[in-house]
Amino acid sequence: MTAMLNLNACQFGSTNVNNDNTGPNIWENPSVTGLNRLQPHSRNVRAMSVAYKKHLHGETEKVPIDTTINPCICLDSSSLDLQQSSPILTSKKGWQFRLFANPNCIPQNYILPLEEVGEEEKLTTWCEQSTQVPSNWTLTPSHKYRNQPSTATTNEEVEHNCSCNIHDPPRYTNVQMPFYTLYPHVPEKNPTGVYRLEFTLTKRGAWLGSDDNNRRRVILHLGGVESCHFIYLNGKFVGMSKDSKLPSEYDVTSMIRCDDTDDGDNAIPSSCTMNENNTLVIIATKYSDASFLEQQDHWRGMGGIHRSIFVYSIFREAFVEDVFCKANLILQPTSNSTTTTTTDDCDDGDVFLRRCTGRIDVQARIGRGWDERVEGRNIYYNEQIPYTMKRHHHQLGGDDDRDDVVFEYKMLFQVYDPDNLPLFDEGVDVSAAEANPLIKDVHQRFNLLSFSAVIPGYVRAWSDESPTLYRLEATLVQQERGKNVAEDTVVVDSFSTTIGFRSVEIQNRQLLINGQPVLIKGVNRHDHSPTGGKAVTLDEIRQDLMLMKEYNFNAIRTAHYPNDIYLYDLADELGLYVVDEANIECHGHYDFICREHSFSAAMLDRVQRMVIRDQNHPSIIGWSLGNEAGFASNHTMLYGWIKGYDSSRFVQYEGAHRPAWGQDPHNYERKGMGTDIICPMYPSIEEITEWAEEIAPRIHETRPFIMCEYAHAMGNSSGSLADYWKVIKDKKGLQGGFIWDFVDQGLLEKDADGNEYFAYGGDYEETPHDANFNINGMIGPDRKPHPAMIEFKKIAQPVAFSFMLHADKNDVTICVTNQRYFSSLDDLQWKWALKMHGFILEEGTSSFPKLMKPKTTESVTTSALKNAFERLSVGTVIQMGLEEVHLDIGVFRVGRTTRIKSVSELGKYPEVASEQFAICTRRKGNAIHFLPETFHHGPTKQNLFKDDKLSLSSNSCRALLSKQSTSFEYVIDSKTLIFGIRPNLFRASTDNDAVKQNGDQLNDSSKPLGNWLRMGLDCVCLDEVVTTGSPTSIISTANIYGQPTRQSYLGIALAEKLISSMGEEERHTKVHLGSLKQTINIDAFGALDVEMQFELNESLTDLPRVGIELTVPSELNETMFFADGPHENYSDRSNSSHAGVYEGSVSDSSTYVVPQEQGNRMNMRWIVLAESNGRGRLQVPKFDEDVKSTFLGAISGRQGVLIASTSDQMPQFAVSRHTDASLFSSRHVNELKDDQDRIFVRIDAAQRGLGSGSCGPQTLEQYKVNGGRYTISFCIKSFGYMPVK
């Protein structure tokens, strides 16, 4: 029988095979957070790896000195696959992987080097499958665990199969744990992955040192492993750690084997083993006691090594253990709060700040190898104590009878500006601080060093607008006591970090960044890749942050755990404020763990290691204690430690506003330690208004109000963003927040037919699960922005406009407001477009006032725009009031040195702001009058056919209608252009209406979907139809009824629960909803005028919509419309949409992961649906001599139909290949089947707003639809069809 590995033995430094434990399993013991793990530090290991690779390739650009001294190699699969001319680290097989049923099923020989394993054991227990690192084993394609049944449950069974058929799918849960076991215990079925890497390391001198005088230590760095991991190297136990989202490091110097290849003449001690492979084994359990601290709302237990692995080497006897630099921006006091600025105060006109002084406050540590023993006294007083090491002379190769040699170590500091120029003439040497007046408060206690130094001259501030970065370099030098400094000083280590000078303060209910109350336009971000799960690539991280900047976000909350260090590097570089959040969430045990003494050390460990790792990033303005983990003594301990260690940033925690027990509504009057920010989640607009106007002044609150989560972006969502921000900008103390969240957490899959879709909770047959509640991002899993992103971009734009029409109506003055806090608008340029009836008449470019100060408004006049007004007689048009005229403005980022004159060229640059002004409004869709006669002028008549249908005919066009129905057909000769029309009171529910896959929301009073289905709104019918006609019109009246449960929605939990809850009689009882009056008229040109008048029962509240659905042939698949656009918009998410003529194609209904209502446009004037003509897509033309000729030019050579509003109350519309019932019944986009014969045009008098009710406030009352009278008036006319001879 194969001996099994005992992971618990590692607590005693053993790999004993005896599984009889005397204590708890180490993976179920929260008091053990790690073994043999090195102290945390802020050294950027990834940057070391990149720079060392450049150094090896002879690249000449400047790299930080520590990376040229210290070798650092990445062990990721992608790095191992790269072929180098002189490889330092090679691996023939790469990473191999095997999955076991639980931590007790791992054979002992799995940690051993291959040469130490017997052939018989290899045959019975070995499994060699390649894998990628980083990755999640639940998603690795080569393993296919998700589709295979579980077979191995005992140790005996493990002996006879490779155990790679263990079923371990991805699991998504929100509040509930993915298993049913109380902490600290986890399920016995606890999938455990074993990773093996066999590799050879060359250049021994670089890694371990060439002799005893140059000894080095080798460090293994694991960026992130879920959830508890154990490391073995060449059969020996290295260490273990918990916390999936922070790195852990281990000293492997005594275990690593290193080849002496390419070491030249370096002597190799005879005791060293050479020319041997290394076998690195990393064992990761899916669950551990740490899982109870990691109950975040995302894919749980994805398993495995999901961040990069590195191995690096530094000097052993003494090295720079860590440097913490607070780069303080010292604002000069002024007589008032308003910043006084002149051009002399600015950096080339770009940054407006008072002249600022920089000061660095540095705490540094000198480390030493764990086996380096140092003599010391047993008592110390307040004195400066240099760091020294005594070494026996024989260690240096000398005679034994000579005196011992004492080496002194000291650290030298230098700060480099953005141009890589040193700021201190001779650096900072604290040992000579008395001779340098810039250096203050020096304290040296052997290996600990602390000091402050004023930067000579002035510094440029770091902010989101101007992310100016400096570099601090700390160099550790060694000198034999008594020797000449210049000749005998040896550099043994160096530490380099980017820094940024900025200040973070809280005063008078304001968060001040560099003295300014910057609004936090933030978003929460989970790590997520559609193909890698929690293993996110660097390209995906960069793509996320670039999108944030493009859409005017300025802040990130790392929800709900520390991110890869690369994200903070990018935030520093791009200019994004960061709230760095600890990996602590206990949502399912909300009141428990925050009070458990057994978890106190683990919680503190997570906070300390996060803060120390990330402490030097200027982008980080605040720390978060975690999320939804209750609030008790453990949290006040965390708060106290952070404030004691780093007072330069704020600390926030949402739970500090809750009652002492439970997650009941926020108590804003609760005081005490725990948070420097009032940071609730999902408060209503009414709630934040009450806080600003009444609560905060009454209790003398001094903290600002910044929502940690709001505007839940699940599916088609984020309604009322503009309403939130109107209050935020108007009320003192309200300072923004972080939208939940950034990316939909869908996993890319393919169905049996090869169609792609994104999977979510329940798609892997896992239980329990929370369905699609993790599909709540502003962008899709594929990083395609949702329309809500455009809405936020408009709200958060850096420049605002207003306009004033001159008295003669022939000119307009544009007023510009610089909404930035530190910068001019010199890097921006704007263009204008004058529109008539949605078509662009004329356009041009313009520049902003030079050196325009932040938070100021200036008027600008544009001669080209004035000339356009005069040339086009806009003033006359306005006075007559016959035309609809708009002025559009777009702002683009071109850079401070670029000026663009061409409109088309300017449009190639990133757009950062937009605005539209309605100069003259005309509501009715007069495009109908642009169309000529369809054919010859023919008689108008009414006929009664044998099949009981009424007909209106004119000019070869006919409207056919059954006497027992209001649905009609619109036919031109034998070509049917409108198949039918029906009243439409239902929409494919958004996730805010209710999560349709959550049956528990059926009876939730805040979710209207259940009530819609009970009333049968998804299947309305008309009864008691009465139809009368005249030679030119047909009038029909009918009663509207809902038919509950008439539609079947297999697999939609909420609908299925409704059916099961209703009795037989209730299911077959129609619900009276109101009445409908339909009037159809036909004119002499064949145009059909339609009026639909609804009288809905006054008792009906919160309806989805009131409208109609037209059906047209599928070949009318190209569209051009005059409405608000170009993107979809709704009554409570329309701030970013502008009236205009836009082209498009029929929606494929794949905007959202879960099919639902989408594609709506407000304020429809008209829409054209046309057939393809083989000469290119339908496009909005350039303006011709007048609007009519422009319109006719657009449809020239086309056949189709025009639908135009004929009422001052403009409707809204959407065009789709799917009915609402089809969208509602589908869980994924691959389930949608395009109708091959029909296209559906939905026209609404009203539609419910979106809100954010999936997790937060529902749709505001002013955006809801209730019973009453609604009218839709429109005209239908064909074009381009020739008469049949």
Side-chain angles (χ1 to χ4, degrees):
M1 178 177 175
T2 301
M4 295 298 154
L5 179 66
N6 181 7
L7 292 175
N8 287 304
C10 69
Q11 300 176 76
F12 313 106
S14 169
T15 56
N16 195 320
V17 298
N18 183 5
N19 276 323
D20 295 329
N21 300 323
T22 58
N25 291 321
I26 193 170
W27 59 88
E28 296 179 316
N29 186 353
S31 64
V32 179
T33 60
L35 294 173
N36 299 343
R37 194 177 58 192
L38 298 178
Q39 292 297 312
H41 60 77
S42 55
R43 189 185 291 262
N44 193 326
V45 178
R46 183 180 296 282
M48 289 171 60
S49 172
V50 172
Y52 186 61
K53 182 178 177 181
K54 292 180 180 180
H55 172 67
L56 291 175
H57 285 76
E59 298 183 20
T60 58
E61 64 263 30
K62 171 69 177 179
V63 294
I65 189 170
D66 60 321
T67 54
T68 62
I69 293 176
N70 298 327
C72 183
I73 299 292
C74 182
L75 299 187
D76 291 358
S77 297
S78 58
S79 297
L80 296 175
D81 291 341
L82 295 177
Q83 297 299 317
Q84 302 178 20
S85 58
S86 299
I88 292 179
L89 186 147
T90 57
S91 176
K92 294 181 179 179
K93 298 179 180 179
W95 285 96
Q96 297 172 296
F97 180 78
R98 179 174 175 180
L99 189 67
F100 292 89
N102 63 63
N104 295 318
C105 288
I106 305 170
Q108 172 80 12
N109 59 37
Y110 248 69
I111 67 170
L112 300 177
L114 197 60
E115 63 269 17
E116 298 181 27
V117 180
E119 292 300 322
E120 184 176 347
E121 290 180 307
K122 291 180 186 176
L123 292 174
T124 58
T125 68
W126 216 254
C127 172
E128 295 185 354
Q129 289 198 28
S130 296
T131 192
Q132 293 292 309
V133 171
S135 67
N136 293 129
W137 69 60
T138 51
L139 294 179
T140 305
S142 61
H143 300 137
K144 302 295 184 186
Y145 304 123
R146 72 191 68 159
N147 297 320
Q148 300 180 18
S150 175
T151 59
T153 58
T154 67
N155 293 354
E156 287 78 10
E157 290 180 76
V158 171
E159 292 188 57
H160 303 294
N161 65 74
C162 72
S163 195
C164 285
N165 57 355
I166 294 172
H167 183 57
D168 188 26
R171 298 172 182 270
Y172 165 64
T173 59
N174 175 21
V175 179
Q176 59 185 332
M177 292 293 288
F179 52 78
Y180 300 97
T181 308
L182 186 61
Y183 66 84
H185 299 115
V186 296
E188 292 184 2
K189 292 183 178 180
N190 185 8
T192 302
V194 179
Y195 295 83
R196 285 175 58 93
L197 177 68
E198 297 174 4
F199 66 94
T200 300
L201 196 63
T202 64
K203 292 185 178 294
R204 178 185 179 86
W207 290 96
L208 295 174
S210 56
D211 52 44
D212 285 338
N213 192 37
N214 185 27
R215 295 181 301 163
R216 303 182 66 81
R217 61 202 295 255
V218 180
I219 309 300
L220 179 66
H221 173 106
L222 276 65
V225 185
E226 188 175 351
S227 71
C228 172
H229 69 263
F230 304 80
I231 304 173
Y232 296 84
L233 183 60
N234 297 325
K236 298 179 180 179
F237 174 68
V238 174
M240 63 80 61
S241 181
K242 301 168 186 176
D243 192 337
S244 303
K245 303 299 181 182
L246 281 174
S248 56
E249 291 191 339
Y250 308 90
D251 189 329
V252 296
T253 309
S254 62
M255 305 172 196
I256 195 117
R257 300 167 179 172
C258 202
D259 197 319
D260 65 344
T261 305
D262 296 331
D263 269 356
D265 297 330
N266 291 336
I268 306 296
S270 59
S271 60
C272 296
T273 305
M274 300 178 297
N275 298 318
E276 296 187 37
N277 284 338
N278 292 278
T279 301
L280 174 64
V281 176
I282 301 173
I283 300 172
T285 66
K286 184 181 182 80
Y287 300 123
S288 70
D289 57 84
S291 300
F292 294 96
L293 290 172
E294 299 179 2
Q295 300 182 39
Q296 290 91 350
D297 173 18
H298 66 158
W299 291 101
R300 304 272 194 99
M302 293 295 277
I305 303 169
H306 61 90
R307 290 184 184 164
S308 295
I309 300 178
F310 301 90
V311 59
Y312 67 94
S313 171
I314 58 176
F315 195 61
R316 183 174 180 179
E317 182 177 278
F319 54 89
V320 180
E321 180 177 303
D322 194 30
V323 176
F324 177 20
C325 177
K326 300 177 185 177
N328 301 289
L329 189 72
I330 311 301
L331 301 173
Q332 300 300 317
T334 58
S335 58
N336 54 56
S337 60
T338 303
T339 300
T340 303
T341 314
T342 67
T343 54
D344 292 336
D345 297 318
C346 308
D347 172 36
D348 296 331
D350 182 53
V351 180
F352 285 81
L353 274 176
R354 297 182 293 273
R355 288 191 177 274
C356 300
T357 302
R359 188 189 71 233
I360 55 172
D361 297 336
V362 176
Q363 298 178 38
R365 296 171 180 268
I366 301 174
R368 64 179 187 273
W370 64 269
D371 58 346
E372 298 289 341
R373 295 183 179 273
V374 179
E375 294 180 2
R377 310 199 305 264
N378 60 8
I379 188 170
Y380 292 91
Y381 295 98
N382 184 20
E383 54 187 308
Q384 307 294 348
I385 307 170
Y387 185 86
T388 59
M389 294 282 287
K390 182 185 295 184
R391 198 182 302 174
H392 296 295
H393 195 70
H394 69 83
Q395 292 179 292
L396 306 177
D399 298 330
D400 290 343
D401 57 352
R402 293 186 58 183
D403 294 336
D404 294 337
V405 177
V406 176
F407 287 99
E408 290 187 357
Y409 293 89
K410 64 178 180 179
M411 296 180 69
L412 307 176
F413 298 86
Q414 183 58 271
V415 177
Y416 296 89
D417 70 10
D419 297 320
N420 207 36
L421 299 175
L423 298 185
F424 294 97
D425 291 339
E426 298 180 357
V428 176
D429 181 355
V430 296
S431 64
E434 294 181 358
N436 191 337
L438 297 176
I439 304 174
K440 306 289 184 182
D441 299 325
V442 176
H443 303 279
Q444 184 169 1
R445 302 294 186 271
F446 200 62
N447 68 315
L448 302 178
L449 175 65
S450 175
F451 70 93
S452 295
V454 176
I455 303 297
Y458 297 108
V459 297
R460 293 156 61 182
W462 185 96
S463 70
D464 66 309
E465 298 172 16
S466 298
T468 304
L469 292 175
Y470 292 73
R471 182 167 59 88
L472 173 74
E473 192 168 282
T475 305
L476 181 65
V477 297
Q478 176 198 74
Q479 177 191 352
E480 184 177 342
R481 181 173 287 176
K483 295 290 186 177
N484 182 279
V485 174
E487 296 178 0
D488 297 293
T489 296
V490 178
V491 175
V492 297
D493 194 13
S494 183
F495 178 105
S496 181
T497 183
T498 55
I499 59 174
F501 291 93
R502 52 112 183 93
S503 66
V504 179
E505 302 171 285
I506 291 176
Q507 295 178 10
N508 194 22
R509 266 185 277 158
Q510 289 182 324
L511 169 65
L512 303 178
I513 308 295
N514 301 340
Q516 295 296 319
V518 176
L519 290 176
I520 300 301
K521 304 167 185 176
V523 65
N524 288 273
R525 179 191 173 276
H526 262 301
D527 271 347
H528 181 75
S529 166
T531 54
K534 309 311 291 184
V536 183
T537 67
L538 302 188
D539 286 343
E540 287 170 325
I541 295 174
R542 174 172 280 276
Q543 188 176 5
D544 285 352
L545 269 61
M546 293 297 287
L547 278 171
M548 291 177 191
K549 291 294 289 187
E550 179 182 347
Y551 284 86
N552 292 333
F553 290 95
N554 71 354
I556 312 169
R557 178 179 176 227
T558 64
H560 298 293
Y561 39 77
N563 282 207
D564 188 285
I565 195 69
Y566 183 67
L567 179 137
Y568 306 94
D569 290 341
L570 278 180
D572 294 342
E573 171 193 334
L574 299 176
L576 283 162
Y577 302 117
V578 176
V579 173
D580 203 6
E581 188 151 279
N583 187 17
I584 300 173
E585 179 165 342
C586 314
H587 206 166
H589 304 83
Y590 190 82
D591 292 321
F592 295 66
I593 292 177
C594 60
R595 292 173 169 83
E596 285 285 4
H597 304 318
S598 59
F599 278 92
S600 297
M603 293 174 70
L604 182 60
D605 179 69
R606 288 166 182 251
V607 165
Q608 287 179 326
R609 292 170 62 220
M610 171 189 73
V611 171
I612 293 172
R613 185 198 68 164
D614 300 336
Q615 60 196 1
N616 290 322
H617 289 280
S619 56
I620 297 176
I621 60 172
W623 308 108
S624 170
L625 304 182
N627 185 68
E628 292 179 317
F631 182 74
S633 55
N634 286 355
H635 286 102
T636 56
M637 171 188 66
L638 305 181
Y639 177 87
W641 184 87
I642 294 179
K643 298 302 288 186
Y645 181 77
D646 178 17
S647 60
S648 67
R649 298 174 170 103
F650 63 79
V651 176
Q652 74 172 48
Y653 181 63
E654 181 265 348
H657 309 306
R658 301 282 186 181
W661 292 83
Q663 203 172 5
D664 290 334
H666 298 99
N667 178 6
Y668 296 119
E669 300 188 27
R670 185 182 183 188
K671 297 287 187 177
M673 263 191 355
T675 184
D676 302 323
I677 305 289
I678 307 297
C679 53
M681 55 176 61
Y682 308 112
S684 66
I685 295 175
E686 181 182 12
E687 185 177 333
I688 68 174
T689 302
E690 181 188 12
W691 180 89
E693 292 182 345
E694 194 276 322
I695 297 176
R698 173 168 53 80
I699 66 174
H700 305 291
E701 182 62 76
T702 59
R703 298 171 293 180
F705 191 106
I706 302 173
M707 296 171 285
C708 71
E709 296 174 23
Y710 79 108
H712 197 258
M714 186 174 180
N716 192 358
S717 185
S718 302
S720 287
L721 268 176
D723 297 306
Y724 267 103
W725 277 90
K726 183 178 186 302
V727 176
I728 289 169
K729 293 176 180 180
D730 286 348
K731 306 296 181 183
K732 179 182 178 181
L734 302 181
Q735 214 164 332
F738 299 85
I739 290 175
W740 185 268
D741 67 357
F742 191 61
V743 59
D744 288 336
Q745 296 176 55
L747 297 172
L748 184 62
E749 294 289 352
K750 289 184 179 180
D751 62 19
D753 297 324
N755 300 310
E756 292 184 343
Y757 67 97
F758 291 110
Y760 46 80
D763 285 336
Y764 300 98
E765 301 180 359
E766 79 277 19
T767 56
H769 68 80
D770 283 307
N772 61 309
F773 201 70
N774 61 343
I775 306 298
N776 47 23
M778 297 286 280
I779 63 174
D782 53 2
R783 269 54 185 181
K784 291 181 180 177
H786 293 324
M789 285 278 279
I790 307 173
E791 184 80 352
F792 183 82
K793 180 180 183 178
K794 173 68 166 61
I795 292 166
Q797 64 190 27
V799 56
F801 295 89
S802 61
F803 88 106
M804 180 182 65
L805 192 63
H806 292 193
D808 60 4
K809 310 295 185 184
N810 274 329
D811 195 8
V812 62
T813 296
I814 307 294
C815 291
V816 179
T817 299
N818 181 0
Q819 300 197 106
R820 291 172 166 174
Y821 291 89
F822 311 109
S823 308
S824 70
L825 302 178
D826 289 357
D827 60 322
L828 307 178
Q829 203 172 338
W830 60 285
K831 70 173 185 177
W832 55 268
L834 196 59
K835 290 181 176 179
M836 185 175 294
H837 288 297
F839 293 104
I840 296 177
L841 289 168
E842 194 163 330
E843 53 189 343
T845 66
S846 187
S847 297
F848 292 103
K850 188 70 174 174
L851 291 177
M852 186 175 177
K853 295 181 181 179
K855 297 300 176 183
T856 61
T857 299
E858 295 187 31
S859 61
V860 295
T861 56
T862 305
S863 57
L865 180 58
K866 175 179 172 62
N867 294 337
F869 264 70
E870 294 176 348
R871 183 167 55 257
L872 301 170
S873 301
V874 175
T876 303
V877 170
I878 295 172
Q879 290 172 353
M880 295 180 65
L882 298 177
E883 313 292 346
E884 189 168 2
V885 182
H886 291 91
L887 176 64
D888 284 10
I889 293 175
V891 181
F892 301 84
R893 181 179 290 110
V894 298
R896 288 192 293 139
T897 60
T898 303
R899 285 297 168 263
I900 307 297
K901 294 183 178 180
S902 165
V903 172
S904 59
E905 187 69 20
L906 185 59
K908 297 177 183 179
Y909 287 84
E911 186 179 44
V912 299
S914 65
E915 194 55 82
Q916 183 178 69
F917 300 110
I919 296 176
C920 183
T921 60
R922 177 181 172 84
R923 295 295 184 182
K924 295 182 180 180
N926 58 0
I928 201 74
H929 304 298
F930 300 156
L931 291 178
E933 297 179 20
T934 307
F935 304 129
H936 58 278
H937 184 77
T940 300
K941 60 184 178 180
Q942 176 188 15
N943 290 316
L944 181 63
F945 291 89
K946 293 180 181 180
D947 57 1
D948 202 27
K949 282 190 176 180
L950 292 172
S951 173
L952 289 177
S953 300
S954 178
N955 204 7
S956 299
C957 299
R958 288 178 297 153
L960 303 176
L961 182 141
S962 171
K963 276 193 171 185
Q964 302 304 312
S965 171
T966 61
S967 183
F968 63 82
E969 296 179 10
Y970 180 59
V971 181
I972 177 167
D973 279 336
S974 60
K975 176 72 173 180
T976 301
L977 297 180
I978 304 291
F979 288 129
I981 182 173
R982 67 175 188 87
N984 188 18
L985 302 181
F986 184 69
R987 73 178 181 189
S989 61
T990 69
D991 294 307
N992 293 331
D993 300 333
V995 178
K996 62 186 180 184
Q997 298 173 76
N998 185 345
D1000 293 340
Q1001 294 190 1
L1002 172 64
N1003 298 311
D1004 188 334
S1005 61
S1006 69
K1007 308 290 193 294
L1009 175 59
N1011 195 42
W1012 297 347
L1013 295 176
R1014 280 194 185 91
M1015 293 190 296
L1017 300 185
D1018 58 319
C1019 187
V1020 298
C1021 66
L1022 298 176
D1023 275 356
E1024 298 93 37
V1025 179
V1026 178
T1027 302
T1028 60
S1030 70
T1032 59
S1033 67
I1034 299 175
I1035 300 174
S1036 302
T1037 60
N1039 283 315
I1040 307 173
Y1041 291 89
Q1043 303 177 94
T1045 72
R1046 185 64 59 91
Q1047 295 274 14
S1048 177
Y1049 302 110
L1050 184 64
I1052 303 302
L1054 191 147
E1056 290 180 334
K1057 186 172 183 177
L1058 173 67
I1059 293 175
S1060 65
S1061 68
M1062 297 179 72
E1064 186 74 16
E1065 181 178 354
E1066 188 180 7
R1067 290 204 304 270
H1068 291 86
T1069 301
K1070 294 191 294 187
V1071 179
H1072 183 262
L1073 303 171
S1075 63
L1076 171 69
K1077 179 181 178 181
Q1078 174 181 282
T1079 303
I1080 303 174
N1081 292 284
I1082 194 165
D1083 69 11
F1085 301 104
L1088 206 63
D1089 282 308
V1090 182
E1091 181 181 87
M1092 309 288 289
Q1093 189 174 97
F1094 294 83
E1095 290 283 354
L1096 299 181
N1097 298 341
E1098 294 289 347
S1099 61
L1100 299 179
T1101 59
D1102 204 3
L1103 301 172
R1105 68 177 356 131
V1106 179
I1108 60 169
E1109 184 177 80
L1110 292 164
T1111 309
V1112 303
S1114 61
E1115 56 266 28
L1116 300 181
N1117 59 359
E1118 295 188 17
T1119 64
M1120 185 172 69
F1121 56 89
F1122 182 14
D1124 293 353
H1127 50 276
E1128 74 173 21
N1129 50 85
Y1130 292 81
S1131 57
D1132 61 351
R1133 202 187 68 205
S1134 60
N1135 189 60
S1136 59
S1137 57
H1138 299 324
V1141 177
Y1142 306 102
E1143 74 266 5
S1145 57
V1146 177
S1147 169
D1148 61 4
S1149 301
S1150 62
T1151 302
Y1152 302 101
V1153 169
V1154 178
Q1156 57 194 280
E1157 160 63 36
Q1158 60 190 283
N1160 191 69
R1161 267 85 174 184
M1162 301 284 294
N1163 297 319
M1164 183 194 94
R1165 283 75 163 176
W1166 51 261
I1167 177 174
V1168 164
L1169 296 108
E1171 299 182 26
S1172 300
N1173 64 0
R1175 300 198 302 268
R1177 302 195 65 83
L1178 189 65
Q1179 292 183 338
V1180 177
K1182 293 183 178 180
F1183 190 78
D1184 206 342
E1185 58 186 53
D1186 56 31
V1187 176
K1188 180 176 180 178
S1189 59
T1190 302
F1191 179 83
L1192 293 177
I1195 63 172
S1196 176
R1198 301 276 182 167
Q1199 294 177 326
V1201 64
L1202 169 73
I1203 304 172
S1205 168
T1206 55
S1207 169
D1208 285 342
Q1209 299 299 316
M1210 289 183 287
Q1212 43 196 303
F1213 82 98
V1215 184
S1216 176
R1217 293 190 179 276
H1218 308 101
T1219 64
D1220 283 301
S1222 175
L1223 289 168
F1224 181 68
S1225 64
S1226 301
R1227 298 178 63 250
H1228 303 92
V1229 295
N1230 64 310
E1231 299 166 17
L1232 291 167
K1233 305 303 178 186
D1234 288 354
D1235 194 302
Q1236 299 301 310
D1237 300 317
R1238 299 175 297 171
I1239 289 172
F1240 305 96
V1241 182
R1242 292 184 270 274
I1243 303 175
D1244 298 325
Q1247 185 180 168
R1248 187 180 194 265
L1250 299 172
S1252 56
S1254 56
C1255 186
Q1258 263 297 351
T1259 304
L1260 297 180
E1261 287 298 324
Q1262 61 264 39
Y1263 305 119
K1264 290 182 179 179
V1265 179
N1266 300 315
R1269 174 175 292 183
Y1270 296 88
T1271 301
I1272 305 174
S1273 300
F1274 58 95
C1275 186
I1276 303 172
K1277 189 172 183 180
S1278 64
F1279 59 86
Y1281 294 100
M1282 300 302 295
V1284 177
K1285 301 290 186 182

